[in-house]
Amino acid sequence: MQKEWYVVNTYSGHENKVKEKLEMRANSMGLEDYIFRVIVPEQTEIEMKDGVQKEKKKKMFPGYILVEMIMTDEAWFIVRNTPGVTGFIGSSGKGAKPFPLTPAEVDRILGTMGMSRLEIGNELNIGDSVKVIAGPFANMYGKIKTVEMETGKLEITLDLFGQETIVELELSEIEKA
């Protein structure tokens, strides 16, 4: 099983409380290996008030949080029964497990927040094999040569027509092989 991103429905306005409770429950029940990141999708907006610019955090999806987890019965139970959680998006109910978000959807949401679904250093290291999932090199495999932390770009060596070629890609264009 692999970790994937799921959308969890919460009471509107309680997203941060649910995030805290879910993280605490995962730690206290020893599920850190199944529930990884809990994110309240927010973006910063600049607001003019009385001639003064103010930055304000605004929730992108009020009433929803993102959870990166491995969907086991125990992890699913813990998330569903966290106070403030009303359910998962993508589940038909009746005990059916939900469908995860696609990598493209996760990249789009986390990209607007300046984050990535892949963690450089934890999940991606120089020399790791990756699969290109977007662009002209889609479905090709290569190895990571360099990583630019600030820009989120990688140099990957690909085998093009029997010759090793270096291409620059963004994190959203690859997945771990």
Side-chain angles (χ1 to χ4, degrees), residues 70-91:
I70 296 174
M71 186 56 74
T72 63
D73 289 337
E74 193 176 3
W76 184 45
F77 180 83
I78 295 301
V79 175
R80 278 185 315 163
N81 293 299
T82 298
V85 170
T86 58
F88 278 88
I89 300 300
S91 173

Side-chain angles (χ1 to χ4, degrees), residues 18-169:
V18 170
K19 174 186 177 190
E20 283 178 30
K21 287 178 185 171
L22 184 53
E23 288 171 341
M24 285 174 33
R25 286 175 60 118
N27 286 336
S28 68
M29 296 183 172
L31 290 176
E32 301 95 346
D33 294 336
Y34 297 99
I35 299 173
F36 301 97
R37 291 192 278 177
V38 181
I39 295 176
V40 178
E42 297 177 322
Q43 60 189 45
T44 304
E45 289 186 351
I46 296 174
E47 195 176 81
M48 287 294 285
K49 199 168 193 176
D50 300 328
V52 178
Q53 278 190 354
K54 287 189 174 184
E55 284 190 6
K56 185 178 178 185
K57 290 247 184 217
K58 185 177 178 189
K59 289 182 179 51
M60 292 167 60
F61 310 109
Y64 298 96
I65 60 173
L66 300 179
V67 180
E68 182 183 31
M69 62 187 282
I70 296 174
M71 186 56 74
T72 63
D73 289 337
E74 193 176 3
W76 184 45
F77 180 83
I78 295 301
V79 175
R80 278 185 315 163
N81 293 299
T82 298
V85 170
T86 58
F88 278 88
I89 300 300
S91 173
S92 63
K94 304 176 193 134
K97 290 188 178 169
F99 292 102
L101 291 171
T102 65
E105 291 170 326
V106 175
D107 287 336
R108 189 171 44 79
I109 294 168
L110 295 181
T112 60
M113 297 172 57
M115 300 170 75
S116 170
R117 74 184 149 84
L118 298 171
E119 295 179 71
I120 298 171
N122 288 347
E123 293 180 38
L124 291 177
N125 296 303
I126 293 173
D128 285 353
S129 292
V130 293
K131 178 182 179 184
V132 181
I133 58 172
F137 304 108
N139 298 321
M140 295 185 79
Y141 291 86
K143 289 194 184 249
I144 298 174
K145 184 172 167 108
T146 63
V147 177
E148 283 293 323
M149 298 284 229
E150 302 83 36
T151 60
K153 294 195 183 242
L154 308 158
E155 283 187 350
I156 312 257
T157 56
L158 298 174
D159 183 18
L160 292 177
F161 307 113
Q163 194 167 10
E164 209 171 76
T165 307
I166 298 172
V167 295
E168 185 177 274
L169 300 171

